[in-house]
């Protein structure tokens, strides 16, 4: 059984999607072993408690002098728990290059657009969906990818698209992208990883 750590900062609906999927037996060969939040008031912590996650921790950047120290604490914690897969689920911090090297192809993130569109520095939360509407594209969606040193730049694991509707607002679009794309893709990607079915070759991920 692989040990999964989910890193969160907010509501934790993506964490919930993973926990629900696990309770249905769909995360094959994997267990949500730890939830680490960068905020002590994150609702995600309540979700983790309700699901009985074994290790629940708060590691806040406010308690460290630099981003390096903050990331080092996260790395130490993950190592001490012997974590196999790290999932960034609404984790609002960019991790250091050292962290990316240490956990190469073992950290995944969900981004609420079809990468390489509407991604990179500054594209988070409702800003992504506002940009989608401002540009006038007809489809959008979500992407699960491995994390590397480039923001939203790592190898793509899964993507799913939905149509943008006339009358959509950033809020309605965000909701549909979460429900129809993020909450579906993230548990699926986690399960594929835990089954050893993701093979990374350069910037390509092959599903075996
Ligand atoms: C999601 O839209 C996710 O794509 C982004 O941050 C949001 C997190 O939401 N990275 P939640 O905390 O999982 O509810």
């Amino acid at each position: 059984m692989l040990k999964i750590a989910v890193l969160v900062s907010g509501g934790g609906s993506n964490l919930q999607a993973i926990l629900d999927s696990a309770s249905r037996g769909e995360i094959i060969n994997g267990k949500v072993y730890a939830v680490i939040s960068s905020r002590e008031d994150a609702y995600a912590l309540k979700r983790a408690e309700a699901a009985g996650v074994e290790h629940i921790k708060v590691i806040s950047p406010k308690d460290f002098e630099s981003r390096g120290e903050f990331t080092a604490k996260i790395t130490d914690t993950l190592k001490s728990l012997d974590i196999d897969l790290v999932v960034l689920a609404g984790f609002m911090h960019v991790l250091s290059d050292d962290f990316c090297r240490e956990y190469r192809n073992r950290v995944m993130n969900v981004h609420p657009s079809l990468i390489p569109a509407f991604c990179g520095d500054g594209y988070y939360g409702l800003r992504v969906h506002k940009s989608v509407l401002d540009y006038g594209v007809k489809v959008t969606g979500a992407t699960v990818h491995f994390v590397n040193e480039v923001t939203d730049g790592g190898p793509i694991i899964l993507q799913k698209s939905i149509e943008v509707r006339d009358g959509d607002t950033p809020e309605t679009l965000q909701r549909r992208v979460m429900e129809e794309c993020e909450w579906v893709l993230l548990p699926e990607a986690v399960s594929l990883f835990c089954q050893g079915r993701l093979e990374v070759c350069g910037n390509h991920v092959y599903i075996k």
Side-chain angles (χ1 to χ4, degrees):
M1 204 56 130
L2 266 59
K3 291 180 182 171
I4 304 161
V6 185
L7 272 52
V8 295
S9 300
S13 66
N14 280 289
L15 164 68
Q16 191 67 57
I18 297 170
L19 293 169
D20 290 347
S21 176
S23 72
R24 292 193 299 266
E26 292 166 4
I27 305 288
I28 307 192
N29 196 39
K31 177 184 172 63
V32 178
Y33 190 63
V35 169
I36 299 175
S37 173
S38 65
R39 295 178 58 125
E40 60 190 354
D41 59 351
Y43 186 68
L45 290 166
K46 299 224 169 5
R47 298 181 190 269
E49 277 163 28
V53 174
E54 247 164 281
H55 300 274
I56 303 174
K57 294 178 190 297
V58 175
I59 302 178
S60 166
K62 285 186 304 189
D63 298 330
F64 299 89
E65 294 208 337
S66 65
R67 185 162 69 99
E69 283 178 30
F70 169 60
T71 332
K73 178 67 182 172
I74 292 176
T75 310
D76 288 350
T77 307
L78 295 172
K79 277 187 180 168
S80 71
L81 295 172
D82 207 14
I83 295 298
D84 299 294
L85 171 66
V86 181
V87 180
L88 307 184
F91 184 68
M92 297 303 289
H93 310 274
V94 175
L95 294 162
S96 66
D97 289 359
D98 284 348
F99 181 88
C100 293
R101 267 190 295 277
E102 178 99 33
Y103 280 90
R104 175 86 60 214
N105 298 334
R106 291 196 295 144
V107 186
M108 54 176 73
N109 178 49
V110 60
H111 180 78
S113 78
L114 295 172
I115 290 175
F118 309 106
C119 65
D121 292 330
Y123 283 99
Y124 58 87
L126 283 173
R127 289 175 184 216
V128 177
H129 306 289
K130 187 174 181 309
S131 304
V132 163
L133 293 173
D134 287 348
Y135 202 99
V137 294
K138 300 295 187 190
V139 291
T140 185
T143 304
V144 178
H145 63 94
F146 283 116
V147 171
N148 69 6
E149 290 81 350
V150 180
T151 309
D152 300 326
I156 290 173
I157 303 167
L158 295 172
Q159 289 188 302
K160 188 166 184 278
S161 64
I162 57 162
E163 285 181 12
V164 178
R165 294 180 189 153
D166 290 343
D168 258 329
T169 63
E171 289 79 9
T172 61
L173 205 49
Q174 180 182 51
R175 186 75 201 169
R176 280 209 323 287
V177 167
M178 285 182 123
E179 283 178 358
E180 295 179 32
C181 305
E182 297 180 46
W183 299 347
V184 177
L185 293 183
L186 193 56
E188 192 181 334
V190 168
S191 185
L192 287 169
F193 181 96
C194 293
Q195 294 170 71
R197 291 181 57 196
L198 299 179
E199 189 177 302
V200 187
C201 194
N203 213 37
H204 295 262
V205 179
Y206 298 99
I207 301 174
K208 299 187 281 184

